[in-house]
Amino acid sequence: MTQDTAVTPSSLRAALLTARVPRYTSYPPADRFGDRVGPAEGDAWLRAVPEGAEVSLYVHVPFCRRLCWFCACRTQGTRTDAPLDRYLDHLEREIAAVRGRLAPVRISALHLGGGTPTLLSADRLDRLGAMLRAAFPIDAATEVSVEIDPTECDGHRLDALMRMGLSRASIGVQDFDPVVQASIGRRQGLDETERAVAGLRARGVRSVNVDLLYGLPHQTLPRLARTLAAIVRLAPERIALYGYAHVPWVARRQKLIPEAALPDPVQRLALAEAAREILTSSGYDAVGIDHFARPGDGLARAAAEGRLHRNFQGYTTDAAGTLIGLGASAISRYAQGYLQNAAATDAWQKALEEGDLPVARGIALTPVDRTIAAIIESLMCYGRVDLAALPDETRPWAREMALAALTLYPGAGELAGQVLRLNDFAAARLVAAVFDPGSGRGGPRYSQAS
Ligand SMILES: C=Cc1c2[nH]c(c1C)Cc1[nH]c(c(CCC(=O)O)c1C)Cc1[nH]c(c(C)c1CCC(=O)O)Cc1[nH]c(c(C)c1C=C)C2
Ligand SMILES: C[C@H]1O[C@@H](n2cnc3c(N)ncnc32)[C@H](O)[C@@H]1O
Ligand code: SF4
């Protein structure tokens, strides 16, 4: 699916350089969530999860020792450990509140994200594991994964994660270049990153992911190529290469990013295309818009076999229909719709102290939303949509949107019979936005399309 930039039609290329569209980790995206959905829906939707259903759990740990300037994640700095214990106390309450409403289910996956879950000491990780195991059937069949900051991790914490059943880990790197690192407020040596990977390998973790970014200040092709070469030598099974989203109106710490040193849109697109070329010629399969995986890895196999999904953590093989998010700002997905917990840690804690579910906002899905969600997930995962698989009554509309997308972005793909197929994942977000009736509303609030 690679395509020479020289033959990319100018309107598609122009849109990649200028358009701002959601990343579609959900449909509807989180900016459409509202407060007409709250604790009452949280209660009803939890109680409606059928007995025996597959459920995955996400635990958000919104603390970091360092606050990287580029970061758009919901997290807060802390120098002391006191807030961590208070946070665990409240997670315990939330777990009890969920458990009291949930029928016996199977837990297919448990993901610890953040923030920096490895900021929790080994004792605290053990406590979290015990709390979760006491409430949910977490066993050998549960895939347990964690986000690791190599500068904030050690053998004791890795051992505690293994006791929790860790099978996959994702390591934050972003870029190894010292000039780039200085401009994003994040220092991290190759050696400490190697130590984290070796520590995971030694304990039998077979699936390691590394997060990288393109489009950072002072990033040039030679610098990015050196980072990629170092990563290829580390040989993670998976690599996520995200485009840096510069959205200082959302993430205020990004005001520290030197805007004048950001690559311009043309340079940014060149970085993305060169990185894709380097990784695919280094033995990685491209998966979706921003992931790469070794051909034997579960993600690459799922992509090839039509079992790939997209959720708030990006691409996943997790097929559970229900995702329960625990912790401040965590998002849950039920058959009925999405819910998000109060984003501020204080507000989340206060709701729990008052005996409420800490749900702050969300959205209920209509049948039309579900069809649009299926179309967008298929575009983001496979770069194709089979209109024949859609409900009859939506097909004429979907066909009209497919033709509109191809008129807007000639050369982005083709409609062959009932199948819309993109030539290149680069166009996936733009084409997805054509099927999204709300995409015009967000406009400049979203991040750049490329
Ligand atoms: C693990 C951290 C991140 C998560 N998503 C992003 C990061 C860095 C990147 C990101 N996600 C959104 C934006 C803003 C605009 C855009 O590019 O579309 C960025 C930079 C969208 C978004 N994701 C969440 C919210 C509330 C928003 C804003 C609304 C929107 O534009 O759709 C929720 C959310 N995303 C992540 C987490 C952990 C999370 C909430 C717990 C992952
Ligand atoms: C969890 C992962 O999210 C990515 N991440 C954090 N902040 C941003 C941003 N502004 N734009 C894109 N990706 C980001 C990092 O790669 C991190 O490791
Ligand atoms: S990149 Fe990771 S360590 Fe840095 S602020 Fe974001 S969550 Fe914290």
Side-chain angles (χ1 to χ4, degrees):
M1 301 249 287
T2 53
Q3 190 176 323
D4 186 341
T5 42
V7 301
T8 304
S10 60
S11 55
L12 173 56
R13 195 172 165 81
L16 286 171
L17 296 176
T18 58
R20 309 190 77 91
V21 284
R23 293 174 179 234
Y24 295 115
T25 50
S26 66
Y27 181 81
D31 66 316
R32 322 272 169 83
F33 295 2
D35 60 11
R36 280 187 304 175
V37 168
E41 284 72 17
D43 177 73
W45 296 355
L46 267 171
R47 292 183 193 279
V49 175
E51 182 169 344
E54 281 216 352
V55 170
S56 67
L57 297 175
Y58 172 78
V59 180
H60 192 70
V61 182
F63 299 103
C64 295
R65 208 66 83 192
R66 57 178 178 183
L67 283 179
C68 316
W69 304 340
F70 69 87
C71 182
C73 299
R74 253 291 309 155
T75 184
Q76 62 200 74
T78 178
R79 289 183 189 288
T80 66
D81 288 348
L84 307 182
D85 289 321
R86 283 223 309 151
Y87 195 77
L88 288 178
D89 292 343
H90 287 83
L91 269 179
E92 193 160 26
R93 290 184 191 231
E94 189 175 20
I95 289 168
V98 167
R99 190 207 170 155
R101 292 169 168 86
L102 190 64
V105 294
R106 288 181 296 154
I107 303 296
S108 58
L110 163 65
H111 181 74
L112 310 184
T116 303
T118 49
L119 202 62
L120 300 174
S121 59
D123 285 351
R124 292 190 178 90
L125 287 169
D126 282 336
R127 178 181 171 202
L128 177 59
M131 273 160 34
L132 290 164
R133 272 194 307 274
F136 305 109
I138 293 161
D139 55 29
T142 307
E143 188 180 77
V144 180
S145 54
V146 65
E147 289 169 17
I148 289 181
D149 179 346
T151 69
E152 199 54 64
C153 196
D154 57 29
H156 298 297
R157 284 174 268 185
L158 290 182
D159 288 339
L161 289 166
M162 296 312 292
R163 290 193 284 276
M164 229 187 258
L166 190 73
S167 44
R168 291 200 299 112
S170 178
I171 294 187
V173 171
Q174 326 310 341
D175 194 317
F176 279 130
D177 187 87
V179 175
V180 175
Q181 287 190 357
S183 72
I184 59 172
R186 180 180 172 110
R187 277 188 35 201
Q188 178 173 334
L190 179 56
D191 51 341
E192 54 193 335
T193 309
E194 283 169 343
R195 265 201 303 282
V197 174
L200 288 162
R201 297 279 188 227
R203 287 167 179 79
V205 174
R206 305 282 259 284
S207 182
V208 174
N209 174 82
V210 167
D211 282 345
L212 300 174
L213 293 176
Y214 69 82
L216 292 173
H218 296 295
Q219 220 177 23
T220 59
L221 257 171
R223 285 184 170 139
L224 183 57
R226 271 199 297 276
T227 289
L228 293 173
I231 294 297
V232 169
R233 280 194 297 277
L234 274 177
E237 282 71 20
R238 302 180 187 178
I239 297 169
L241 173 69
Y242 302 114
Y244 167 56
H246 189 60
V247 286
W249 52 91
V250 181
R252 268 184 280 149
R253 66 181 83 118
Q254 290 184 349
K255 292 192 172 130
L256 297 166
I257 294 282
E259 283 185 350
L262 287 171
D264 69 28
V266 172
Q267 293 167 331
R268 182 180 156 104
L269 191 53
L271 288 168
E273 288 171 344
R276 191 163 263 266
E277 181 57 39
I278 290 172
L279 291 175
T280 50
S281 63
S282 304
Y284 286 90
D285 286 350
V287 176
I289 61 165
D290 49 20
H291 280 50
F292 297 84
R294 292 270 182 217
D297 179 79
L299 199 68
R301 286 209 312 273
E305 295 165 8
R307 291 182 289 104
L308 194 64
H309 294 277
R310 186 161 169 82
N311 69 13
F312 294 100
Q313 283 105 53
Y315 291 97
T316 172
T317 57
D318 185 18
T322 303
L323 168 70
I324 298 181
L326 302 165
S329 83
I331 295 177
S332 302
R333 184 188 63 214
Y334 297 92
Q336 296 87 342
Y338 293 101
L339 298 175
Q340 184 171 23
N341 279 349
T345 301
D346 284 348
W348 171 78
Q349 292 183 164
K350 187 155 173 284
L352 286 163
E353 281 161 19
E354 288 169 0
D356 298 331
L357 284 174
V359 176
R361 28 179 237 137
I363 194 166
L365 293 173
T366 65
V368 169
D369 288 336
R370 280 183 240 279
T371 299
I372 297 173
I375 292 171
I376 290 181
E377 189 176 33
S378 183
L379 281 169
M380 300 296 288
C381 289
Y382 308 112
R384 75 195 283 283
V385 185
D386 185 356
L387 304 183
L390 302 175
D392 287 347
E393 66 278 14
T394 61
R395 227 173 284 146
W397 167 81
R399 192 175 175 80
E400 199 183 309
M401 292 304 114
L403 293 170
L406 296 176
T407 307
L408 207 50
Y409 309 119
E414 70 227 351
L415 186 61
Q418 298 268 62
V419 177
L420 170 64
R421 193 189 311 274
L422 305 184
N423 292 329
D424 194 315
F425 268 110
R429 287 170 63 197
L430 286 167
V431 172
V434 175
F435 288 89
D436 168 4
S439 62
R441 231 193 55 189
R445 282 188 295 136
Y446 298 118
S447 59
Q448 196 163 313
S450 62

